[in-house]
Amino acid sequence: RIRHYRWEVKYEYKSPDCYKKLVITINGRSPGPTIIAQEGDTIIVDLENSLLTENVAIHWHGIRQIGTPWFDGTEGVTQCPILPGDTFRYEFVVDRPGTYLYHAHYGMQRESGLYGSIQVSPRDGVAEPFDYDYERSIILNDWYHKSPSEQATGLSSTDFKWIGEPQSLLIQGKGRFNCSKLTTPSLDPDACNQTKPECAPYVLTVIPGKTYRLRIGSLTSLSALTFQIEGHNMTVVEADGHYVEPFVIKNLFIYSGETYSVLVKADQDPSRNYWATTSVVSRNRTTPSGLATFNYYPNHPRRSPPTVPPPGPVWNDVESRLAQSLAIKSHQNYIHKPPQTTDRLIVFLNTQNQVDGRVRWSVNNVSFNLPHTPYLIALKENLTDAFDQTPPPTGYDFVNYDIFKRTNKTNATSSDGIYKLQFNTTVDIVLQNANDMNINNSETHPWHLHGHDFWVLGYGKGKFDIFNDPRNYNLENPIMKNTVAVHPFGWTALRFRADNPGVWAFHCHIEAHFYMGMGVVFAEGIDMLKNLPSSIMGCGHTKGFHRP
Ligand SMILES: O=C1O[C@H]([C@@H](O)CO)C(O)=C1O
């Protein structure tokens, strides 16, 4: 079946957290419309860019784009940006059931509110390994009052200006900023208005006794989050489109780019409402928790719960986050066994550095620059001067590098070189975290791979030991995902098959960190691709390739 959408993307004034600012909407909405489809459907999105002065591109997060690598929506990697006034057709197949996302993938534009969810149900007659009565999608997000261009300018200038902590957290596009905290009051009485219905808390209405599947995704710019529903347990059943061996939690840790389905039974005292909250973890909390109402029908949805909202675990409790990561295994009836050996191991040291007087993030001491000619076109058309042909390093100085020491600021370089993977081989990636430029500090980075799912083989603390740690890999029932966290001062090991012809970004999903160079690009099977659509061309070295 074909699901055809027509989307107009434009700026509008909105107040998702009561503070009025420019937000990028799809057909007037942010979050944009939920794409609801069935396994095997073809999605067509005709996108009209009405941003007037800004380019755009949309990435279909978690959709592997098998056979359509040119519609992955990653500006600079798989396509030229869509110019103001232009329309662009994305057309791809959703080949697996599950919970996915879509969002802008151009500069730091995702932060402007251009995002939404994709829900794919199984084929007719195919059951899922759990039961529920109803389902809801919830996207969690953090929210800044400054525009992405203002933030990006601060990040890329020699007079570095960090974006800081977000002003609020949004649950399904709704948050609450305390207007009395505004540092520059406005004459416009509507500039920050907490009585606006637009920023009333999101209400999740449930019928007592029923079970709900919550499809929860995070598209935060920066924050790692915990999500909890006061007095209710949650059972994790799906992660990034893969069924999980169910386990029960009180709070869900979720990193930017991840999706989970949890089951919640409305089995508490039905005479009142409850709080659903989300709070920042992994960075010292200065942002107030995001609040939603878990509303037991027939109580009034605006009736405040009689309790204090639960704050969730303390921000610096790394152990419980690591424990939850380790608890996520493949459902026993849906195990895709990984290859038991690998053809190639690449270790990625994650560091913060200074490059040419700018604060950047680096992978093996190389900070990534996005080129203006998309790699996919450059590789297919052999435009060898479009990017640096030297591949970046596949490891770092394992013997001498101390991951617990502050980064040696100056020893990094920047490059737009890429990793070429031999088609149909098995690739292992170990993400190695380290101390950044601050004393005793290592951040959480959620890494997202385009075009593939990977097996999560293991997590560890400290420095990855190439000889011993692989002996403890989970090769029996690892979960497959497209986004995974590397915890502070730890490592995460992944395995994937390089079996999807195309060019694929692999990057930290923190918007500012990717912008500051925290990413790499893989290319595989380019010679197997037939002609590229000319709609993706027209920029950089591909000027004149575009035939409208
Ligand atoms: O990239 C980052 O920069 C700041 C800080 O390290 C420099 O001020 C921070 O917290 C980041 O995550």
Side-chain angles (χ1 to χ4, degrees), residues 82-160:
I82 307 163
L83 301 181
D86 274 3
T87 54
F88 186 91
R89 172 170 286 195
Y90 288 103
E91 182 168 352
F92 55 87
V93 175
V94 287
D95 61 325
R96 271 180 327 148
T99 307
Y100 309 100
L101 302 161
Y102 65 82
H103 59 79
H105 215 299
Y106 177 67
M108 289 173 63
Q109 202 175 51
R110 191 180 86 215
E111 290 191 29
S112 296
L114 181 41
Y115 62 85
S117 18
I118 305 175
Q119 294 177 6
V120 185
S121 58
R123 290 178 198 275
D124 286 341
V126 177
E128 294 187 282
F130 45 85
D131 294 314
Y132 54 92
D133 300 299
Y134 302 102
E135 64 178 293
R136 303 270 188 275
S137 310
I138 299 174
I139 298 189
L140 306 175
N141 198 14
D142 51 10
W143 196 247
Y144 286 88
H145 292 170
K146 282 206 170 122
S147 70
S149 23
E150 197 171 349
Q151 294 195 343
T153 307
L155 293 175
S156 52
S157 57
T158 43
D159 171 23
F160 177 72

Side-chain angles (χ1 to χ4, degrees), residues 4 12-13 21 29 35 93 163 165 167 183-184 205 230 243 257 285 296 302 324 356 414-415 463 472 482 515 543:
H4 194 165
E12 284 181 62
Y13 279 105
K21 63 167 270 186
R29 293 161 56 184
I35 293 181
V93 175
I163 58 169
E165 297 301 309
Q167 276 65 59
T183 42
T184 40
T205 300
E230 189 187 8
Y243 297 127
R285 262 177 214 164
Y296 271 65
R302 293 273 165 260
Q324 195 169 102
D356 300 331
S414 59
S415 164
K463 199 179 207 170
N472 300 319
N482 60 60
Y515 186 75
K543 283 201 180 74

Side-chain angles (χ1 to χ4, degrees), residues 206-323:
V206 296
I207 299 168
K210 299 290 182 193
T211 298
Y212 290 79
R213 174 185 192 171
L214 306 183
R215 296 177 182 262
I216 306 173
S218 169
L219 281 175
T220 52
S221 304
L222 174 69
S223 316
L225 298 175
T226 166
F227 174 82
Q228 46 275 323
I229 303 170
E230 189 187 8
H232 293 73
N233 285 336
M234 300 182 276
T235 307
V236 180
V237 293
E238 182 218 335
D240 294 3
H242 291 275
Y243 297 127
V244 170
E245 185 62 22
F247 65 100
V248 177
I249 50 174
K250 295 219 174 299
N251 73 285
L252 176 74
F253 293 111
I254 183 166
Y255 306 95
S256 183
E258 287 191 314
T259 66
Y260 290 96
S261 285
V262 298
L263 302 182
V264 183
K265 189 162 189 212
D267 58 2
Q268 297 300 302
D269 174 5
S271 70
R272 54 163 287 195
N273 292 336
Y274 297 82
W275 294 111
T277 66
T278 186
S279 328
V280 171
V281 290
S282 170
R283 301 177 69 96
N284 198 350
R285 262 177 214 164
T286 60
T287 311
S289 296
L291 303 182
T293 311
F294 197 69
N295 163 233
Y296 271 65
Y297 181 83
N299 296 303
H300 195 281
R302 293 273 165 260
R303 195 166 124 206
S304 251
T307 40
V308 176
V314 291
W315 70 271
N316 53 359
D317 179 4
V318 183
E319 286 301 322
S320 46
R321 278 182 270 136
L322 182 60

